[in-house]
Amino acid sequence: MSKDALGWRCKFAVVAPSTNTIVQPDMDDLRVEGVTNHYGRIYVPNMKVTDDESFVELVEAIGRTLYEAVDRCMTCEPDYLIMGMSALMFWDGREASEKRMQALSEHCGVGVSAGSFACEAALNLYGVKRIAVISPYFPVSDRNVTRFFQDCGFEVAKFRGLKCPSPVAIAHVQPEELRRVVQEMDDDSIEAFVQVGTNLSMVKLCNDMAEELGKPMIPINAATYWHALRANGIMDQFPGHGPLFEHH
């Protein structure tokens, strides 16, 4: 571990699309003493997204400059890498995503946490199988997210893709709309909710609704940061940020 004056327990490199305005404040809210976050931006134009084809173009744009952003982050000698983007880390199912994550780890020489695997770990922790998923994406991505969770042994009983018209527009979805979506999807057959898409602001809402509904609500940014802390042996527990941080 580093002996950085502020990041004396761990320095996290966090890579996220340049269009993302949610992952940085979300993860900064979850920092504990002795841990610092250092952000690298993957250049992505605020592309208009209208259908599956244009969404695939967006994912490909992220992939083209991902390693450049990672390399810039590595110049501060971080101890660990956090993926602050999610679609690419679900793509083509669990096996392909694991290979993608391993390649990143080998490239930069440190461990990696990605939202897909963090959500899997959280779901396994809660012992649930039948889930509902909320995403800001288009159907092509929703199919990849569904495939990933099915590969992990979960049943995706319900899925709501919001089809946000651009990367920046994802952050414009308000809590009131997301609350309505959860309420429409919820029934006794759903054991847990998962929210994907790191630019969708849902951490606080998930924490509130977990208490209201009495079932796990897993927001991807919180799950990813929790996973990164625990992977580095940082076991601090604290209230106010959901059950993952308070009890696990």
Side-chain angles (χ1 to χ4, degrees):
M1 290 295 181
S2 65
K3 296 299 181 183
D4 189 88
L6 296 180
W8 49 270
R9 296 170 81 185
C10 193
K11 293 189 296 188
F12 286 142
V14 184
V15 292
S18 55
T19 51
N20 189 306
T21 58
I22 300 300
V23 72
Q24 183 168 345
D26 272 358
M27 292 190 177
D28 282 349
D29 282 347
L30 298 169
R31 267 196 330 111
V32 296
E33 184 180 5
V35 175
T36 51
N37 302 331
H38 308 281
Y39 294 90
R41 294 294 181 164
I42 306 161
Y43 172 72
V44 183
N46 189 32
M47 303 163 57
K48 186 176 181 181
V49 182
T50 58
D51 53 22
D52 282 351
E53 183 178 354
S54 52
F55 190 88
V56 170
E57 291 175 3
L58 173 62
V59 174
E60 290 174 347
I62 293 171
R64 276 195 295 272
T65 59
L66 168 61
Y67 275 75
E68 293 175 18
V70 170
D71 288 344
R72 284 193 294 272
C73 279
M74 294 310 297
T75 63
C76 77
E77 299 185 353
D79 301 296
Y80 198 78
L81 175 64
I82 296 176
M83 301 301 293
M85 37 75 72
S86 63
L88 190 61
M89 305 310 289
F90 285 104
W91 217 257
D92 294 327
R94 193 185 191 284
E95 183 177 354
S97 297
E98 186 171 27
K99 289 179 180 177
R100 201 174 290 120
M101 191 167 68
Q102 288 173 345
L104 270 170
S105 180
E106 290 171 5
H107 175 80
C108 61
V110 298
V112 180
S113 281
S116 50
F117 294 94
C119 289
E120 177 193 13
L123 288 168
N124 285 331
L125 189 68
Y126 289 120
V128 298
K129 288 296 181 183
R130 188 175 170 86
I131 65 173
V133 181
I134 299 168
S135 101
Y137 303 142
F138 276 74
V140 64
S141 185
D142 297 343
R143 289 191 293 271
N144 278 280
V145 172
T146 297
R147 177 181 172 183
F148 179 93
F149 284 123
Q150 289 174 337
D151 289 349
C152 295
F154 303 106
E155 178 186 354
V156 181
K158 295 185 180 182
F159 203 116
R160 181 71 62 85
L162 302 179
K163 299 181 182 178
C164 293
S166 75
V168 170
I170 295 171
H172 297 173
V173 181
Q174 298 299 312
E176 296 79 9
E177 179 180 349
L178 293 166
R179 175 178 284 276
R180 286 194 298 271
V181 169
V182 172
Q183 290 170 336
E184 290 168 4
M185 297 176 75
D186 186 43
D187 62 39
D188 290 342
S189 71
I190 301 300
E191 295 180 287
F193 281 84
V194 179
Q195 171 256 316
V196 303
T198 62
N199 205 27
L200 193 63
S201 180
M202 209 167 166
V203 171
K204 185 179 186 305
L205 180 65
C206 282
N207 294 340
D208 292 343
M209 294 200 77
E211 293 187 12
E212 295 172 22
L213 300 179
K215 59 184 66 176
M217 302 278 298
I218 300 172
I220 194 165
N221 289 344
T224 307
Y225 204 80
W226 164 81
H227 187 271
L229 288 173
R230 301 303 183 250
N232 285 276
I234 299 169
M235 308 304 292
D236 301 42
Q237 293 180 322
F238 46 90
H241 295 280
L244 283 177
F245 293 95
E246 188 166 2
H247 303 301
H248 305 287

